[in-house]
Amino acid sequence: MTYPVYIGDRAAGTMTVTAAGEDHLFEVICHPPEPGLWRVWVQGEGQRLSLGLLEGGRLRRRFSRRITGPLGAIRWAGAESCAAKDSPWRPAGPEDCPLPLPPGSLCRREGRRVRLAAPYDREGPFPLTELFCLARIRAMDGGLWAEYRFEDGYPVPPEEN
C-alpha cells in the first residue's frame, strides 16, 4: 500500500509498505524543501515508529511484525529536519533540571537550550521557588505554566514578550 509523507502539513513524498514474509518493508521517497538530515517516521492508529534518516531523498527499512504490530492501521508518514529548532514538549526528568521537579513538568530541547515548564496554580506554591525570578508565566494546553530556560545546564533569564 502507498501512503503520503508529510513535512508539516505539506505532502512531500510517498511511502510504500509491502509484506516481505513475516516482515514489513518500508520504502520512502521524499523531497525535503531544504538540504540536510531528515528523520522519517510512520504514524499508525495510536503509535509512531521511527524509520530512520533519509539518504538522498530515499529510505528503505525492514521491520518484523513484532515491531510493526503495535502501529495498528498505518495512516501516513512524516519527515522532519534533524536541525529543527522546536522539538516537541515531553515529560521532564531529573536529567533535565538539577532541582526537584513538580509532577507534570514538561521540557523541550532547542540546541544547547532546554525549556522547562512546570504547572502553575495561582492558589498553590510557586513551582521551583529557587528560580522564581527567572520564570515566565505562560498559557499552554489550557493551563498556566511557569517556564524556565536553561543553557548548558545553567538557568538564564526569560525572553522578552
Side-chain angles (χ1 to χ4, degrees):
M1 299 221 31
T2 300
Y3 303 90
V5 177
Y6 292 101
I7 295 176
D9 60 356
R10 182 180 70 84
T14 59
M15 173 183 69
T16 304
V17 182
T18 54
E22 291 295 312
D23 299 339
H24 283 106
L25 181 63
F26 295 85
E27 294 182 89
V28 176
I29 298 174
C30 184
H31 310 289
E34 56 194 56
L37 292 176
W38 290 80
R39 68 177 65 90
V40 179
W41 71 89
V42 58
Q43 181 66 54
E45 287 176 315
Q47 271 193 343
R48 173 187 283 196
L49 173 65
S50 178
L51 297 179
L53 296 176
L54 284 174
E55 292 183 27
R58 294 181 174 273
L59 174 115
R60 184 179 167 138
R61 293 290 306 268
R62 186 177 181 143
F63 291 101
S64 70
R65 290 187 194 266
R66 182 179 59 78
I67 292 173
T68 60
L71 283 171
I74 294 172
R75 302 289 189 209
W76 48 274
E80 66 183 356
S81 171
C82 292
K85 290 182 172 69
D86 292 338
S87 62
W89 288 98
R90 63 170 176 76
E95 69 280 1
D96 300 308
C97 178
L99 301 171
L101 296 170
S105 294
L106 301 173
C107 79
R108 81 178 192 194
R109 296 203 171 271
E110 298 170 343
R112 295 181 354 210
R113 183 173 294 151
V114 173
R115 289 186 185 269
L116 180 73
Y120 172 62
D121 177 5
R122 289 186 173 135
E123 305 299 318
F126 198 86
L128 296 176
T129 308
E130 304 89 333
L131 300 176
F132 79 93
C133 61
L134 297 175
R136 175 181 151 221
I137 304 302
R138 66 176 287 185
M140 182 172 69
D141 294 335
L144 291 177
W145 298 77
E147 182 182 79
Y148 300 92
R149 296 182 327 144
F150 294 85
E151 199 163 298
D152 294 327
Y154 296 98
V156 295
E159 298 168 321
E160 295 288 326
N161 287 336

